[in-house]
Amino acid sequence: MKEYIAALDQGTTSSRAIVFDRNGSIVSMAQHPFEQIYPKPGWVEHNPFDILQSQLIALREAVEKCRSAGGRIAAVGIANQRETTIVWDRKTGQPVYNAIVWQCRRTAEMCDALMKDQGFVDYAEEKTGLLIDAYFSATKIKWILSNIAGAAEKAENGRLLFGTVDSWLIWNLSGKHRTHVSDYSNCARTMLFDIRELRWDREICRKLGIPVSMLPEPVANSAVYCRIDGEAVGIPELDGVPVCGSAGDQQAALFGQACFSRGEAKNTYGTGCFTLMNTGEQIVHSSNGLIPTVAWSLG
């Protein structure tokens, strides 16, 4: 029986699953859109279960097409919309609020207040490589903890988990094993992650009132994160299949466009246009507002 790799492409407006053979050729594909929620001007949300279910439906359809061709899935990888923020109850698996999408600007005033502390601005940029902005996950987490009744107390008591979309998918795919991880490329987009030490920065977490216990374990972009619980996700033929690759969509595109050498760059066009350049192992600080971030970590 032929073996294939299934790639989950969880995007801002749709979820897609593509099955590839050893030569990188597409064997099967399925795609499903999901609802965009706009509670107020400048606010953008997703229902976390819409994200999950649309992704599982696409994966199930792609796997069925693959099986009809006489193949099986050997491994699953993930590329995902970045910065989108989900907070859920570790015991029940229920989100405490909708996912706050990377586009959402509700925390812009919060960021303006933080930027009045120049010492913190400099510290955050040095550690994370990022500018203080509503785009990133950190102030989205703070908004949820500050605005959802009981959330801050539950977080302090270790009841709540945070994750970007990669983390939410892995946690659910792992079923009863409840694996809570996030790869370096996604961690680096939260504004909470030390991109030199590859660990959560406790000082920034303290400043924003975010318990470190909420945060997923940072992991490399190629590793066995979990094995799929086929019964839990309703795809029994995937039971035990490893999820062993993950990257934020733009870093995944940089790798997918074979920008393996320093100085190589890519543009990709989707909900937005994104340019990334490989700077090798050097963290390059721009004088024009560009930001250094983690591309990938292998081996």
Side-chain angles (χ1 to χ4, degrees), residues 8 12 14 19 28 31 48 56 106 125 127 135 138 144 158 173 184 187 201 211 220 222 230 236 242 283 292 294 296:
L8 307 185
T12 306
S14 70
V19 175
S28 64
Q31 185 171 4
L56 291 179
R106 76 185 64 192
E125 184 175 357
K127 292 292 184 176
Y135 183 71
I144 291 173
L173 287 168
Y184 295 146
C187 291
D201 188 276
S222 180
I283 296 175
V294 176
W296 56 73

Side-chain angles (χ1 to χ4, degrees), residues 21-22 25 59 61 78-79 94 122 126 140 218 231 253 292 296:
D21 65 17
R22 288 181 177 272
S25 299
L59 177 59
E61 290 184 5
I78 297 171
Q94 292 293 317
D122 294 341
E126 175 65 21
K140 302 181 196 298
E231 181 180 358
W296 56 73

Side-chain angles (χ1 to χ4, degrees), residues 46-55 86 92-95 98 168 172:
H46 295 152
N47 181 327
F49 286 121
D50 285 351
I51 293 174
L52 176 63
Q53 291 305 319
S54 62
Q55 186 64 83
I86 305 172
T92 68
Q94 292 293 317
N98 277 338
W168 170 246
N172 282 282

Side-chain angles (χ1 to χ4, degrees), residues 30-172:
Q31 185 171 4
H32 285 271
F34 56 90
E35 182 184 8
Q36 307 295 299
I37 303 169
Y38 305 102
K40 296 180 181 180
W43 291 31
V44 190
E45 298 177 359
H46 295 152
N47 181 327
F49 286 121
D50 285 351
I51 293 174
L52 176 63
Q53 291 305 319
S54 62
Q55 186 64 83
L56 291 179
I57 291 169
L59 177 59
R60 188 178 300 115
E61 290 184 5
V63 168
E64 288 173 356
K65 294 175 185 176
C66 169
R67 286 183 65 202
S68 67
R72 64 175 291 272
I73 304 300
V76 172
I78 297 171
N80 61 281
Q81 55 166 313
R82 306 175 303 168
E83 297 96 14
T84 294
T85 297
I86 305 172
V87 175
W88 68 94
D89 188 303
R90 72 163 66 237
K91 292 185 178 179
T92 68
Q94 292 293 317
V96 301
Y97 188 74
N98 277 338
I100 301 179
V101 180
W102 57 273
Q103 299 160 296
C104 187
R105 301 303 299 172
R106 76 185 64 192
T107 63
E109 290 185 4
M110 188 188 300
C111 291
D112 290 342
L114 289 170
M115 290 175 67
K116 293 178 180 178
D117 182 347
Q118 189 59 47
F120 177 69
V121 170
D122 294 341
Y123 181 88
E125 184 175 357
E126 175 65 21
K127 292 292 184 176
T128 71
L130 307 179
L131 307 175
I132 294 175
D133 194 272
Y135 183 71
F136 305 111
S137 308
T139 55
K140 302 181 196 298
I141 304 171
K142 181 174 175 61
W143 187 94
I144 291 173
L145 297 183
S146 301
N147 288 275
I148 304 306
E153 181 180 358
K154 286 184 178 179
E156 287 293 345
N157 292 334
R159 182 70 181 261
L160 299 186
L161 301 177
F162 152 75
T164 42
V165 170
D166 62 310
S167 187
W168 170 246
L169 291 178
I170 292 169
W171 195 83
N172 282 282

Side-chain angles (χ1 to χ4, degrees), residues 99-267:
I100 301 179
V101 180
W102 57 273
Q103 299 160 296
C104 187
R105 301 303 299 172
R106 76 185 64 192
T107 63
E109 290 185 4
M110 188 188 300
C111 291
D112 290 342
L114 289 170
M115 290 175 67
K116 293 178 180 178
D117 182 347
Q118 189 59 47
F120 177 69
V121 170
D122 294 341
Y123 181 88
E125 184 175 357
E126 175 65 21
K127 292 292 184 176
T128 71
L130 307 179
L131 307 175
I132 294 175
D133 194 272
Y135 183 71
F136 305 111
S137 308
T139 55
K140 302 181 196 298
I141 304 171
K142 181 174 175 61
W143 187 94
I144 291 173
L145 297 183
S146 301
N147 288 275
I148 304 306
E153 181 180 358
K154 286 184 178 179
E156 287 293 345
N157 292 334
R159 182 70 181 261
L160 299 186
L161 301 177
F162 152 75
T164 42
V165 170
D166 62 310
S167 187
W168 170 246
L169 291 178
I170 292 169
W171 195 83
N172 282 282
L173 287 168
S174 67
K176 58 182 176 291
H177 301 292
R178 298 307 190 217
T179 302
H180 188 217
V181 300
S182 183
D183 73 81
Y184 295 146
S185 71
N186 275 289
C187 291
R189 308 298 295 184
T190 62
M191 209 176 81
L192 297 171
F193 193 66
D194 186 326
I195 61 174
R196 290 177 175 78
E197 301 296 329
L198 299 179
R199 64 188 180 193
W200 300 114
D201 188 276
R202 292 181 177 272
E203 179 59 28
I204 298 175
C205 290
R206 184 197 62 77
K207 174 78 172 179
L208 296 179
I210 297 172
V212 177
S213 62
M214 293 181 67
L215 307 180
E217 176 189 355
V219 291
N221 296 94
S222 180
V224 176
Y225 311 124
C226 71
R227 294 187 179 273
I228 294 174
D229 184 334
E231 181 180 358
V233 300
I235 313 176
E237 54 267 45
L238 290 185
D239 192 60
V241 171
V243 180
C244 50
S246 179
D249 54 8
Q250 300 310 320
Q251 287 95 327
L254 186 71
F255 194 90
Q257 295 292 340
C259 297
F260 303 139
S261 300
R262 181 176 178 177
E264 295 180 332
K266 66 86 186 171
N267 271 8

